[in-house]
Amino acid sequence: MNNRYKLVGILSLVLLFLTQCYMTYYTYAWKEHDYFAALRPLVGNAYLSSLKGDLIYPGGAEVIHEFSDKHYTKLRDLYHEDTVAFRAYAKRVTDSLFFTLKEESTLDSFMQEIMSENMSDSTAQYRVSVSDFYIKVDGKDIILYSEPDYTQGIRIGGDLEDCNEANRFTTILVDNIDQCSCTVRFSLWVDSPARKQEILKDILPILFLSLFCIGVTVLLFLMTYRNWARQKKLAERKQDFVNSITHELNTPLTTIIVANRNLQNPNIGADIQQVNMLSEIIERNAQWLKSLFTRVLQSEAISSSSLHLRSYSLVQVLEQILKDFELMIHARIQFKLATFGKERTVLLDKFWFTSLIINLIENGIKHNHNELIQIHLIVRFSHESVQLEIKDNGVGMRSEDMDRIFDKFYRRNDAKEGLGLGLFYVKQCVDAHGWTIRVDSQMGEGSRFIISMPLSEERN
């Protein structure tokens, strides 16, 4: 299910990105169309009006007339007599004509004047090409040169290389030029190397807005997905908590019910030893229930309760905790308390601090499979602070567990008991005192919880 949501989200983002790209591309195409639509009538009409009935450039018609007068008769005769010879001669004639048109061209100065009057871009380039040249023989058009692709015609003048339909300003077909009935088709292209940059500059606000929308959408998606994932994990943890607390409560409750049912047996009343044993069972499980409720309540109360802070001898408090704890444990658990430096008093709430230490000790015992369980408490006094280290020889933790052990309801995958509240409660106590805690651990080498606390004078 999680992967499905990711896939749907990623596909939606890709679709949004493609849509924005499509819209940006067509915005550019629309701006490009407007660019040429504004210039085409100005430059194209100026070119046509400046020709004043001439061809290609002023003086071009005279060159074409001269060639048609000189070669028409021979071309007509060869067309009737020898097709192969006609094609070869027509090739030589058109090559010579186009060469002469280029040599005598006045297009550079002619077009420069037109573009400077009608365009603000001084870097604009042009191209004039001939794509068709026909003659009429017996009322029929005979092709001397023809190029269906206008952009591939014979260049007469200009430096523009990228010729296309967008920058083609005009195509002129002139028929019946003279008594030889010549036909010439030529085209004008105009463009600027800076055109794309100018158009991109115009659509830059739209482009930035598009990128901003994509960025905001991606950010919102990530935030939504992160919150959803967080809520999903919280819901799973809460469900795990409910399952765990149900199991934790069910065992002592069942034991109490069974023991109470046995006490109600009339035949057991005379057996004082059996009655005492059942009473102890009930008391022990009732105390366990009380402990469970206390741990759940403490996890909420510590964040809102005011601490009763006083200065205590940290070593004396720890010795008292270990002394009480040793009454409830058996021989395979070993405690050690070591101190370094000159002893100072520490400002703390004794009740919450005691609960904090007990939670860390129980955690070290619970996750420990050694024959001899070792719990070491090390206190290091310095001039400004105290460092308390609680070290065990248990199973240790993975790095991914260390990032989350202080989260509420979090339990390791291999944890078979507990509510996921112990270390959360420890962190709450540390934060409430204004201390810091960190953990160092490796799998199979135990764990070290290190609490740093400032030294303070006694305060009520």
Side-chain angles (χ1 to χ4, degrees):
M1 184 67 71
N2 194 14
N3 291 332
R4 186 185 303 173
Y5 286 140
K6 285 184 179 179
L7 181 61
V8 171
I10 292 172
L11 289 178
S12 299
L13 291 176
V14 170
L15 182 61
L16 172 64
F17 178 76
L18 293 177
T19 302
Q20 293 291 339
C21 289
Y22 177 84
M23 294 175 62
T24 303
Y25 170 77
Y26 274 94
T27 301
Y28 175 87
W30 171 62
K31 286 286 187 180
E32 185 180 60
H33 176 270
D34 283 356
Y35 174 87
F36 287 119
L39 289 179
R40 189 173 287 113
L42 295 175
V43 178
N45 292 338
Y47 175 70
L48 292 177
S49 61
S50 297
L51 283 177
K52 298 177 181 178
D54 218 318
L55 299 175
I56 304 176
Y57 56 81
E62 184 179 347
V63 176
I64 295 174
H65 290 164
E66 182 181 342
F67 267 78
S68 62
D69 290 344
K70 182 177 179 180
H71 300 288
Y72 178 77
T73 301
K74 186 173 182 178
L75 286 168
R76 182 191 60 194
D77 294 342
L78 286 174
Y79 177 76
H80 288 300
E81 297 170 0
D82 187 345
T83 304
V84 175
F86 168 77
R87 291 299 175 195
Y89 188 68
K91 178 74 167 56
R92 290 198 301 272
V93 169
T94 52
D95 287 348
S96 179
L97 172 61
F98 296 147
F99 177 78
T100 304
L101 285 171
K102 292 177 185 179
E103 287 294 310
E104 298 184 10
S105 171
T106 59
L107 276 170
D108 284 342
S109 58
F110 177 64
M111 287 303 302
Q112 187 63 41
E113 182 179 352
I114 292 174
M115 290 189 296
S116 62
E117 291 178 356
N118 295 278
M119 297 179 66
S120 59
D121 189 353
S122 60
T123 65
Q125 297 175 331
Y126 78 95
R127 176 174 173 174
V128 175
S129 300
V130 175
S131 55
D132 295 287
F133 186 58
Y134 305 160
I135 62 171
K136 273 191 184 300
V137 177
D138 300 332
K140 183 179 179 182
D141 285 332
I142 305 302
I143 299 174
L144 301 185
Y145 172 81
S146 181
E147 174 55 63
D149 184 358
Y150 294 167
T151 64
Q152 300 300 318
I154 299 297
R155 185 202 302 253
I156 303 302
D159 299 323
L160 184 63
E161 296 294 337
D162 183 18
C163 297
N164 51 65
E165 281 300 312
N167 59 17
R168 181 164 66 92
F169 276 40
T170 185
T171 295
I172 304 167
L173 176 65
V174 181
D175 200 1
N176 296 323
I177 295 175
D178 52 22
Q179 67 273 20
C180 301
S181 299
C182 295
T183 300
V184 176
R185 189 194 309 269
F186 57 96
S187 302
L188 168 67
W189 286 269
V190 178
D191 206 345
S192 168
R195 169 179 55 83
K196 291 182 180 179
Q197 289 83 348
E198 289 296 323
I199 295 176
L200 287 175
K201 187 177 179 180
D202 287 343
I203 68 171
L204 204 58
I206 298 176
L207 183 61
F208 280 147
L209 180 61
S210 178
L211 293 175
F212 176 76
C213 291
I214 292 176
V216 169
T217 304
V218 171
L219 181 62
L220 289 175
F221 168 77
L222 292 176
M223 292 175 61
T224 302
Y225 179 80
R226 186 183 66 177
N227 290 336
W228 172 82
R230 187 180 298 166
Q231 292 296 326
K232 183 173 180 289
K233 287 181 180 179
L234 183 59
E236 291 173 351
R237 291 181 191 174
K238 287 184 176 180
Q239 185 60 45
D240 290 342
F241 169 73
V242 171
N243 296 336
S244 177
I245 196 66
T246 301
H247 171 74
E248 297 278 354
L249 293 174
N250 186 62
T251 301
L253 282 174
T254 302
T255 304
I256 290 172
I257 292 171
V258 172
N260 182 65
R261 187 177 300 157
N262 288 332
L263 282 175
Q264 293 175 355
N265 188 345
N267 298 325
I268 206 172
D271 191 345
I272 302 300
Q273 184 177 359
Q274 189 73 7
V275 170
N276 290 337
M277 183 190 71
L278 292 174
S279 298
E280 289 176 2
I281 291 174
I282 293 174
E283 182 181 4
R284 186 164 57 250
N285 283 274
Q287 290 295 333
W288 173 238
L289 282 175
K290 180 181 178 182
S291 174
L292 284 176
F293 287 126
T294 301
R295 291 182 65 184
V296 173
L297 293 174
Q298 283 177 349
S299 70
E300 299 296 335
I302 187 64
S303 61
S304 57
S305 298
S306 59
L307 299 177
H308 300 286
L309 300 175
R310 290 187 60 187
S311 288
Y312 290 92
S313 168
L314 185 61
V315 175
Q316 290 181 5
V317 173
L318 292 174
E319 288 176 343
Q320 184 179 358
I321 293 173
L322 294 181
K323 183 177 180 180
D324 293 342
F325 214 97
E326 286 173 348
L327 297 175
M328 300 180 291
I329 62 175
H330 58 79
R332 79 182 190 96
I333 302 177
Q334 180 185 80
F335 291 102
K336 287 185 179 180
L337 173 62
T339 62
F340 299 91
K342 183 179 179 181
E343 184 178 348
R344 305 286 185 88
T345 59
V346 177
L347 193 65
L348 54 82
D349 184 306
K350 187 176 180 180
F351 173 78
W352 294 119
F353 179 75
T354 302
S355 299
L356 179 155
I357 298 300
I358 290 174
N359 270 285
L360 290 177
I361 293 175
E362 288 180 343
N363 190 72
I365 296 173
K366 185 190 307 179
H367 302 289
N368 200 317
H369 308 310
N370 292 303
E371 289 293 330
L372 178 63
I373 298 175
Q374 295 180 335
I375 306 294
H376 293 178
L377 281 74
I378 304 170
V379 183
R380 293 182 175 89
F381 292 95
S382 65
H383 182 67
E384 296 180 351
S385 65
V386 178
Q387 186 180 84
L388 171 61
E389 179 180 328
I390 298 92
K391 181 180 179 181
D392 63 66
N393 64 337
V395 296
M397 288 181 282
R398 299 168 300 180
S399 58
E400 55 266 32
D401 287 326
M402 287 193 289
D403 294 334
R404 301 172 60 190
I405 56 170
F406 296 118
D407 292 351
K408 194 173 186 178
F409 304 131
Y410 179 74
R411 297 193 305 165
R412 292 163 31 157
N413 293 333
D414 57 351
K416 297 181 180 179
E417 59 181 12
L419 306 177
L421 292 173
L423 292 179
F424 168 78
Y425 167 69
V426 167
K427 185 66 166 62
Q428 294 291 96
C429 288
V430 168
D431 290 343
H433 281 85
W435 303 337
T436 60
I437 185 170
R438 62 184 176 90
V439 58
D440 293 330
S441 182
Q442 290 185 3
M443 290 298 296
E445 297 185 10
S447 302
R448 294 166 60 234
F449 290 87
I450 302 165
I451 301 173
S452 296
M453 53 191 76
L455 289 171
S456 304
E457 298 296 329
E458 183 171 355
R459 185 180 69 184
N460 291 328

